Amino acid sequence: MTVLEAADVTFRYPDGTQALTEVSVGVQRGEIVAVLGPSGAGKSTLFKCFAGLERPTSGVVRVEDVDLAGLRGRERRLAHHRIGLVFQEFHLVGRASVLSNVLVGRLATANPVTSLAHWMSRRDRTLAVELLTRVGLGEQVRKRADSLSGGQRQRVALARALSQRPELLLADEPVANLDPVLAAGVIDDIVRMVREEGLTAVLNLHDVSLARRVAQRIVGMREGRVVFDLPVGEVTDALLADLYANEGLAAQAAEREEVAA
Amino acid sequence: MTATIDKAPDPAPEKTPRQAPTRRDEIERLARLRRPSWGTIAGAVGVVALLGWSSTSTGFSGPALVDGLPHVADFVGRMFPPNLEELPVAIELMFETLGIAITGTVFGVLLAIPLSLLAARNIFPQPWIRDTTRVVVNVFRAIPELMWALLFVSAVGLGAFAGTLAIMVGTAFGVARLFADIFETADMRAWDAAAATGARKSQRIAWVLLPQQLPTMASYTLLVLDGNVRAASLLGLVGAGGIGMELNQQLRLFEYGSVMTIVLVVLVVVMTLDLLSSYVRKRFV
Ligand SMILES: Nc1ncnc2c1ncn2[C@@H]1O[C@H](COP(=O)(O)OP(=O)(O)OP(=O)(O)O)[C@@H](O)[C@H]1O
Ligand SMILES: [Mg+2]
């Protein structure tokens, strides 16, 4: 069954930049898909469209057959609640405790009044602590989020996303801010949790070897278009070389233009 | 990403041609004293005129000040020695003053929070909400505490309650503006992430915005408390409770020794509070 479906998604930013052109992708339940592509390919823009944070200029995105763009109010919030997000820069409340950051993921279904006083049900708290324990942060529950290391912070963000009990987990370069050794550990944790929870996941990654290790399918993007969409086994070095070809040259050209301007 | 690496500017080709011949002239031109522009001169004349007008309208005059000096000396002289019998009364009333200031500050800040949320663009992006709130806040902020005190004395009668209300309302509008500015500089990433989990705006305020901004808010609140203790010491002049009422009375009775005692008590308390709050603020942020 298709959990996430994008059909002919085109996205143009207000300044006229066309970031996505007729992107069509389908993700089946339980699949782990990696999105690869050079800088500026449109990976983050696609992530935002999938997450319902941006509305496609044309085309549709459906998560579990629901088009987020068409929803308002409570229905929209509950649709958001079913999609867990992990961001490159964690997006945590630094001064709040690790536990409180994870409980944020439970707010959508918590009592709207008592939750304002940070009163959450026993079930919600148990779930949050359990998830934190499973990502190896059982000892850090009461610490302030900004006292943790980068890898630990991303695990808190992962626990927050999982505490939503989502159907779909989306991550935009979740380990780009971490050094390679930590990065592999965090990605492994993400993938392990996704499998344990039986989720579907789309991960934007910048590291080809990580993508090959954890994903079942790889979507290659370049200049706003899908270049290939294949099972990992069929993604050859040649395809990847093409995907990233001239990235250095393109960057140099951009720089020359900048200097000339 | 990669474009930002070796972005070493190479400005050499442009600058060399016009550098050598004009160098001397350039230096001398820059070193010359500049004649003040007409704008500066007009501004200076304006400031002098304003000062002249404001001092005549207040009857400010040098000779009168010099003539008055002996009286000032006499007044200060009569304040010594301070009347220690006044001390227990002064201390008791200083506690009342502190009570007015603290209660007024706490309730004022609590009122200020909803106002400031409405006035913060990033929390309520609708311009009409923000603009209406800002106009209301700015209008009422312009009313001094003493005027609020006069108002509340006529509404609820003489005494500390009127003073507390005055401090509360003055604080609410003053602090609303401060907090709104604090909220508008908040890092919104965690806020947006919480929105993407489906959390309501009220929940995001309680779980993301306030925890992030609390230390800054607390530090401003301490500053405001300092000011409010000073303001509360004066409220008694219009009958709104606190130590000012006693000060007014002793002045009328020409009990300058008692006046001195009262002034000293206020001085000690305000200075202690000042030290305390700047110490706490340093540890906080
Ligand atoms: N807010 C924006 N306004 C205008 N243009 C934007 C905006 N954000 C991104 N773009 C442009 O859209 C295109 C796609 O950007 P996007 O961030 O999706 O790429 P990406 O694949 O995530 O790149 P990276 O690997 O560097 O994160 C780029 O050309 C970028 O300059
Ligand atoms: Mg990106």
Side-chain angles (χ1 to χ4, degrees):
Chain A
M1 188 203 153
T2 309
V3 172
L4 171 68
E5 188 194 5
D8 292 326
V9 170
T10 296
F11 187 89
R12 209 173 292 117
Y13 280 103
D15 70 353
T17 312
Q18 174 125 351
L20 297 175
T21 310
E22 290 171 10
V23 172
S24 296
V25 180
V27 182
Q28 305 300 310
R29 184 172 302 283
E31 255 190 320
I32 297 178
V33 176
V35 179
L36 287 177
S39 187
K43 304 181 296 292
S44 295
T45 310
L46 190 63
F47 166 84
K48 286 185 245 173
C49 288
F50 283 169
L53 302 177
E54 294 279 9
R55 193 178 180 155
T57 312
S58 70
V60 277
V61 173
R62 285 199 202 87
V63 176
E64 303 241 285
D65 285 327
V66 176
D67 180 5
L68 249 155
L71 300 179
R72 287 277 153 270
R74 181 185 154 78
E75 286 184 331
R76 186 181 169 81
R77 286 196 302 101
L78 291 181
H80 270 305
H81 189 59
R82 305 176 69 178
I83 308 173
L85 302 182
V86 175
F87 303 89
Q88 180 175 341
E89 288 150 325
F90 325 134
H91 298 194
L92 300 176
V93 184
R95 294 185 193 278
S97 73
V98 166
L99 177 62
S100 149
N101 269 288
V102 176
L103 283 171
V104 167
R106 296 302 310 155
L107 288 174
T109 51
N111 182 311
V113 178
T114 52
S115 67
L116 296 184
H118 287 232
W119 196 93
M120 299 293 278
S121 72
R122 168 65 53 89
R123 252 183 61 221
D124 287 344
R125 304 173 67 88
T126 311
L127 173 63
V129 175
E130 183 213 309
L131 287 167
L132 281 168
T133 311
R134 279 165 62 196
V135 295
L137 294 176
E139 304 291 307
Q140 267 72 30
V141 171
R142 310 238 159 237
K143 280 198 186 158
R144 261 171 65 152
D146 57 9
S147 70
L148 301 188
S149 73
Q152 290 175 322
R153 286 185 208 196
Q154 196 57 295
R155 286 182 170 90
V156 175
L158 172 65
R160 175 179 65 192
L162 294 175
S163 79
Q164 295 171 228
R165 285 273 137 105
E167 306 288 335
L168 175 67
L169 185 82
L170 303 174
D172 188 19
E173 310 242 10
V175 295
N177 272 13
L178 307 177
D179 68 56
V181 182
L182 278 177
V186 170
I187 281 291
D188 287 345
D189 267 6
I190 293 180
V191 170
R192 176 174 56 82
M193 296 297 277
V194 165
R195 294 241 165 81
E196 285 177 15
E197 300 276 302
L199 301 183
T200 309
V202 180
L203 315 172
N204 288 354
L205 294 173
H206 63 295
D207 185 326
V208 173
S209 61
L210 271 184
R212 278 185 151 162
R213 196 168 89 205
V214 302
Q216 291 149 21
R217 231 171 84 211
I218 293 183
V219 174
M221 286 189 69
R222 192 185 168 100
E223 289 168 14
R225 292 174 190 274
V226 173
V227 184
F228 62 81
D229 179 352
L230 295 167
V232 172
E234 295 170 30
V235 178
T236 60
D237 287 346
L239 272 175
L240 289 168
D242 262 1
L243 186 66
Y244 289 100
N246 304 327
E247 194 191 3
L249 287 180
Q252 278 167 27
E255 186 187 333
R256 267 198 302 279
E257 271 169 37
E258 226 169 82
V259 170
Chain B
M1 294 283 115
T2 26
T4 52
I5 304 178
D6 54 10
K7 211 192 277 176
D10 52 346
E14 299 178 356
K15 277 204 176 161
T16 21
R18 59 164 181 179
Q19 216 172 32
T22 55
R23 199 169 187 181
R24 208 58 249 162
D25 298 354
E26 188 72 6
I27 290 172
E28 277 176 13
R29 192 182 66 77
L30 288 172
R32 222 173 289 147
L33 274 179
R34 274 173 42 192
R35 186 185 61 78
S37 73
W38 288 114
T40 314
I41 293 170
V45 170
V47 167
V48 170
L50 186 70
L51 208 61
W53 167 79
S54 63
S55 55
T56 51
S57 70
T58 53
F60 186 95
S61 80
L65 184 63
V66 172
D67 286 347
L69 275 180
H71 295 290
V72 174
D74 183 41
F75 179 78
V76 172
R78 268 188 289 161
M79 286 170 75
F80 283 97
N83 177 8
L84 288 183
E85 280 165 33
E86 178 70 13
L87 196 59
V89 181
I91 288 176
E92 195 192 324
L93 285 170
M94 196 62 222
F95 272 111
E96 183 179 284
T97 309
L98 278 175
I100 292 173
I102 292 170
T103 319
T105 307
V106 169
F107 284 102
V109 165
L110 290 181
L111 280 179
I113 290 174
L115 277 175
S116 57
L117 290 169
L118 289 173
R121 189 194 339 245
N122 47 356
I123 313 298
F124 286 92
Q126 304 86 331
W128 66 271
I129 297 184
R130 168 190 145 88
D131 293 345
T132 325
T133 320
R134 289 238 166 193
V135 167
V136 170
V137 165
N138 282 334
V139 165
F140 286 105
R141 212 163 61 99
I143 300 175
E145 258 105 1
L146 224 52
M147 283 195 193
W148 287 117
L150 282 167
L151 223 77
F152 283 117
V153 163
S154 58
V156 303
L158 292 172
F161 184 48
T164 310
L165 289 177
I167 296 285
M168 179 182 90
V169 174
T171 302
F173 290 113
V175 169
R177 172 65 187 281
L178 279 176
F179 282 3
D181 290 343
I182 294 177
F183 293 153
E184 286 192 346
T185 59
D187 175 2
M188 297 306 280
R189 290 178 303 177
W191 171 277
D192 292 337
T197 71
R200 294 173 168 82
K201 189 180 282 185
S202 53
Q203 294 174 320
R204 278 177 271 156
I205 290 169
W207 287 75
V208 179
L209 187 74
L210 292 180
Q212 269 176 341
Q213 305 307 122
L214 223 48
T216 322
M217 290 163 69
S219 135
Y220 276 105
T221 301
L222 281 175
L223 269 179
V224 167
L225 178 66
D226 265 7
N228 281 349
V229 171
R230 260 170 275 222
S233 315
L234 286 180
L235 290 178
L237 296 179
V238 297
I243 203 165
M245 221 126 106
E246 177 73 6
L247 179 71
N248 200 15
Q249 200 166 8
Q250 295 303 325
L251 270 170
R252 284 191 192 166
L253 297 172
F254 306 107
E255 293 284 350
Y256 293 114
S258 303
V259 168
M260 188 63 185
T261 309
I262 293 169
V263 169
L264 285 177
V265 168
V266 172
L267 198 80
V268 168
V269 169
V270 168
M271 280 175 63
T272 311
L273 203 71
D274 216 47
L275 286 175
L276 215 70
S277 86
S278 63
Y279 172 76
V280 173
R281 266 182 289 129
K282 268 195 207 109
R283 302 230 21 203
F284 243 125
V285 191

